Amino acid sequence: MNAPLSPPRAIQQLPDNLISQIAAGEVVERPSAVVKELLENALDAGATQITVRLEQGGVKRIAITDNGRGIAPEQLPLALARHATSKISSLHDLENVATLGFRGEALASIASVSQLTLTSRTADAGHASEIDGSTLAVTPSSGAQGTTVDVQDLYFNTPARRKFLKSDQTEFGHCAEVVRRIALARPDVSFSLTHNGKTVDHWNITEIAKRSASILGNEFANARLALDEAAGPLRLHGFVGLPTASKARADAQYFYVNGRFVRDKLLVHAVRAAYQDVLHGDRYPSYVLGLDLDPALVDVNVHPSKIEVRFRDSRAVHQFVFHAVSRALAQTSATSFGATPAPLPSPSGAMPWIRGSQEHLQAILQPNLQVPQQQTSFGPQFAPATNGVAQTTANYGALFAGNERPANGGAASYPAAPQAASQSLPSDDFPLGFALAQLHGIYILAQNTKGLVLVDMHAAHERILYEQLKGALDEDAMQVQPLLIPVTFFADAVEVGTAEENQETLQALGFDIAAISPTTLAVRSVPALLKNADAQTLARDVLRDVREFGGSRVLVERRNELLGTLACHTAVRANRSLSAPEMNALLRQMEATERADQCNHGRPTWSQLALSDLDKLFLRGQ
């Protein structure tokens, strides 16, 4: 049923008080919005020390004191007037906003829905002055240089809005989050937060690394990567969390544009896209990032609460943020949070572990290879090379000095890997250490200078292959392995049609799949990196993705998903027995591979157990 129409009214000018209350509905959603506006005013005034006092979640009282420049007594009435500000005076200023606040609406809107008192003192004033928000009467007062805004009984005159507020604890939580956001952006300012007379948070002036650790906790501080990149007028700086420190909720994501906290879809998407290769499932990354650019290149006047922005060249900003975060995450090789491994020794002086080289993992990629193992004493000793692996481990000779077999073919003593390495290089040059054993055909146990390393060999090898496939495709250098005997398999009409229509896409990926009959496809070549995988399974997966997303989209938008699937099929499987040289070859490749801390599904590939952790397990020293 339609409601009855109200009688027509004449158009009339709204009273100023009603206009302010309407504006308050946009600016002052809840107590946390008041805290945000007043904190931004304090920072714009040059404050270096800010105190926030709340009562009953900010509904009863919000008092914010700063040591900024203060307001002259004769300007106090203007401070509470609508659309009165000292921050802009022309359209040019509006298009080049360099302050957090600029509209001149906040104080007037807050005063219209609360009992507001403003006390301020400038550096050259003999005493402070106070103005009442209701009467606009200015009276002498006491106080140090700076400003105190005391907001009491929020929404006392708009009970309909007040009844929509949540519990005091919920409203306080929103206020505390606003203080944390602003404190993260300004480590050069000290902040103090009290609630109902009790100090909840206090942050002294410090640097961003310590401030972010203090606010986001040690978990973030111990699992983050520093980032500072510039390109033209753009600069991105801050910290991104390691994928292994991801969270189930997106509650630790802080992005700032010219010091202003924003929740912008474009920026969030750029960061999320950079994590897509290393994030597991529906997890969310943690980060504290600041984007600095010319104020003329960004419009901050698109939302009443200034939480959204609009960039003049949004595509350029998106690409810059995406690539900057991607490069930071590429540091997560298995080298102790991004440390670059030292070059490995070789008799010729060359570095044998070159990204993309297949010889070093040739043994791992041969599923039928059975290596006789010589029983050795307990310790990180290498099994001697046998005829079965002499060819595949030839490239490892530089790493495993001293493991030559004696001329008489008898048993020999093989020195421990860390001891052998320490003769020429510090052991820290091998962050993942040297293999001790293989556990249940799934995990590699290795010893490094810190203690024990556990490696998921399938996940680690999957990441290595995935990065190699991406690199080969990016460089248009996908090497092809022709099959001596083509692999044929039954295919339906859709698969045959897909193969015939997308030959160019398949060839770019390193596949030669041709129809030899209306119901049969033949795989004549595969990418050399995947030569030991099941050709029929690879072909079906490629054809399925090409059919579902189209050839051009597979190579552009769905490329990484497809390459991840191919790498997963080819990576060394569980229960595959590896010799010590093969295990060490995998460790060295991990150290030289970007993003090797996670497989392409986001799962961790290795974990460290420090000696102190092991001592606790056995109560040593207690």
Side-chain angles (χ1 to χ4, degrees), residues 183-188 205-215 220 224 237-239 256 288-289:
L184 265 175
R186 294 298 301 271
D188 58 328
I205 296 176
T206 183
E207 56 188 16
I208 183 60
K210 293 182 179 178
R211 177 65 62 84
S212 59
S214 176
I215 293 178
F220 178 77
R224 65 184 179 184
H237 56 93
F239 298 96
Y256 302 86
V288 178
L289 292 172

Side-chain angles (χ1 to χ4, degrees), residues 184-206:
L184 265 175
R186 294 298 301 271
D188 58 328
V189 178
S190 70
F191 292 84
S192 180
L193 172 63
T194 65
H195 186 221
N196 295 335
K198 296 181 180 179
T199 300
V200 178
D201 284 312
H202 180 79
W203 301 290
N204 292 320
I205 296 176
T206 183

Side-chain angles (χ1 to χ4, degrees), residues 229-271:
E229 287 205 23
L234 305 177
R235 177 183 175 231
L236 186 68
H237 56 93
F239 298 96
V240 291
L242 290 171
T244 49
S246 60
K247 306 184 70 175
R249 297 170 54 196
D251 58 353
Q253 299 181 349
Y254 298 88
F255 211 115
Y256 302 86
V257 175
N258 289 343
R260 183 193 310 277
F261 175 82
V262 298
R263 192 178 287 113
D264 186 81
K265 293 181 180 178
L266 179 136
L267 298 175
V268 170
H269 181 273
V271 177

Side-chain angles (χ1 to χ4, degrees), residues 477-491:
M478 186 71 75
Q479 296 184 1
V480 175
Q481 175 65 52
L483 301 181
L484 183 62
I485 301 176
V487 175
T488 60
F489 60 93
F490 173 81

